[in-house]
């Protein structure tokens, strides 16, 4: 980072340091040396409009990993990322849907009918974007509550700070590569997250090696809308269904989205 976050924040920070990028550059992430204290995420988030610093609760695959991959190990590539503005989120989701629903060799483990059966009733037809909901709950307050809850379940989480306009942008700015097995330009995923921020009051709260956790202020409350949201989730992160023992079809996954104020993603 080109600045010291302590000079921008009124909230006192724990000991920490900037993390160099994988290419050896200055990087764009400030990382705390130890776990984030309860309530710290919310206090920093409340200052975001003034400071431009977005907080992230950072996890790794193994809580006992001293390198806290990819954060402390510097496995971040901000230089390789484009800008979210360069991408059309609706077009991205439609293309990813076509890619993920195309039957391929080795699909024998899927239900009869192949990948299209997993995504019934849409099959291989992209259904389009889900409608957003009118503003209701305060997205900031919802995010603060979720950060407190999530942090209580994982007290080892570190604090990350990124100079970004939103949590969606922070992922690309930091150079996170969680979905790299599907696409190595995180800015594309940030572009989709921007639309979720607008339509559903989504806020990026926590990020792991290949996981992402969002708070949702205005989730779908009707099953038909939840099914369209589920389609977006499948396009965005197909492993949420392919690798989900509790919801191995779009319909069963959608049931879990109705009035759910947290969305979680994992890329294999």
């Amino acid at each position: 980072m080109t600045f010291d976050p302590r000079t921008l924040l009124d909230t006192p920070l724990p000991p920490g340091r900037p993390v160099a990028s994988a290419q050896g550059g200055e990087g764009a992430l400030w990382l705390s040396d130890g776990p984030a204290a309860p309530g710290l995420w919310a206090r920093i988030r409340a200052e975001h409009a003034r400071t431009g610093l977005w907080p992230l609760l950072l996890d790794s695959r193994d809580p006992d990993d001293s390198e806290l991959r990819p954060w402390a190990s510097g496995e971040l590539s901000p230089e390789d990322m484009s800008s979210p503005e360069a991408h059309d989120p609706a077009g991205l989701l439609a293309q990813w849907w076509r890619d993920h629903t195309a039957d391929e060799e080795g699909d024998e483990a899927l239900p009869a009918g192949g990948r299209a059966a997993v995504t019934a009733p849409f099959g291989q037809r992209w259904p389009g974007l889900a409608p957003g909901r009118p503003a209701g709950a305060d997205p900031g307050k919802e995010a603060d509550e979720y950060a407190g809850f999530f942090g209580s379940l994982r007290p080892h989480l570190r604090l990350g700070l990124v100079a970004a306009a939103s949590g969606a942008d922070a992922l690309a700015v930091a150079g996170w590569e969680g979905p790299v097995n599907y696409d190595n330009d995180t800015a594309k995923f940030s572009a989709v997250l921007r639309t979720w921020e607008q339509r559903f009051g989504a806020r990026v709260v926590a990020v792991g090696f290949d996981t992402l956790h969002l708070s949702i202020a205005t989730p779908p409350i009707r099953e038909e809308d939840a099914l369209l949201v589920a389609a977006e989730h499948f396009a965005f992160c197909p492993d949420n269904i392919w690798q989900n023992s509790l919801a191995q079809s779009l319909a069963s996954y959608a049931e879990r989205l109705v009035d759910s104020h947290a969305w979680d993603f994992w890329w294999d």
Side-chain angles (χ1 to χ4, degrees):
M1 298 178 73
T2 59
F3 57 86
D4 181 352
R6 300 174 198 278
T7 66
L8 300 174
L9 288 163
D10 292 333
T11 300
L13 288 178
R17 59 185 174 85
V19 177
S21 72
Q23 290 88 342
E26 193 169 43
L29 173 75
W30 182 93
L31 176 69
S32 67
D33 292 338
L40 181 59
W41 191 96
R43 292 193 294 273
I44 294 174
R45 197 279 313 163
E47 294 191 56
H48 174 259
R50 181 180 62 80
T51 67
L53 296 177
W54 188 263
L56 299 169
L57 293 176
L58 301 178
D59 203 354
S60 65
R61 282 182 170 175
D62 182 356
D64 296 325
D65 178 9
S66 61
E67 290 190 311
L68 193 76
R69 298 180 61 198
W71 316 109
S73 60
E75 297 173 75
L76 304 169
S77 300
E79 299 92 340
D80 294 340
M81 306 304 168
S82 64
S83 170
E85 285 90 353
H87 306 287
D88 169 35
L92 286 171
L93 289 169
Q95 182 59 57
W96 288 337
W97 177 272
R98 290 190 290 269
D99 293 344
H100 302 332
T101 58
D103 289 331
E104 299 176 354
E105 293 183 7
D107 279 350
E108 293 81 2
L110 294 176
R115 297 188 181 194
V118 175
T119 54
F122 306 124
Q124 294 180 322
R125 176 183 61 84
W126 168 240
L129 297 181
R133 285 187 53 205
D138 178 4
K141 181 179 179 182
E142 194 71 40
D144 294 346
E145 293 178 356
Y146 180 59
F149 171 74
F150 195 83
S152 70
L153 297 179
R154 294 172 170 86
H156 63 278
L157 298 180
R158 304 268 196 100
L159 174 71
L161 296 177
V162 182
S166 69
D169 289 9
L171 300 179
V173 172
W176 176 66
E177 298 181 335
V180 68
N181 287 341
Y182 288 97
D183 200 299
N184 60 5
D185 187 357
T186 302
K188 296 178 181 178
F189 297 88
S190 294
V192 173
L193 288 169
R194 281 181 169 191
T195 73
W196 291 350
E197 288 176 337
Q198 296 165 0
R199 285 183 287 147
F200 306 109
R203 297 293 184 267
V204 175
V205 172
V207 196
F209 186 87
D210 50 11
T211 57
L212 178 63
H213 307 275
L214 314 178
S215 64
I216 305 298
T218 52
I221 57 175
R222 302 188 306 171
E223 290 185 7
E224 55 266 39
D225 293 337
L227 195 59
L228 290 172
V229 173
E232 292 192 38
H233 283 205
F234 177 78
F236 184 79
C237 179
D239 291 328
N240 263 30
I241 293 178
W242 285 341
Q243 307 279 0
N244 192 335
S245 61
L246 299 178
Q248 293 183 318
S249 71
L250 206 65
S252 59
Y253 181 84
E255 292 175 358
R256 304 168 66 86
L257 294 179
V258 174
D259 207 27
S260 173
H261 288 267
W263 294 351
D264 304 296
F265 300 93
W266 169 66
W267 289 267
D268 192 6

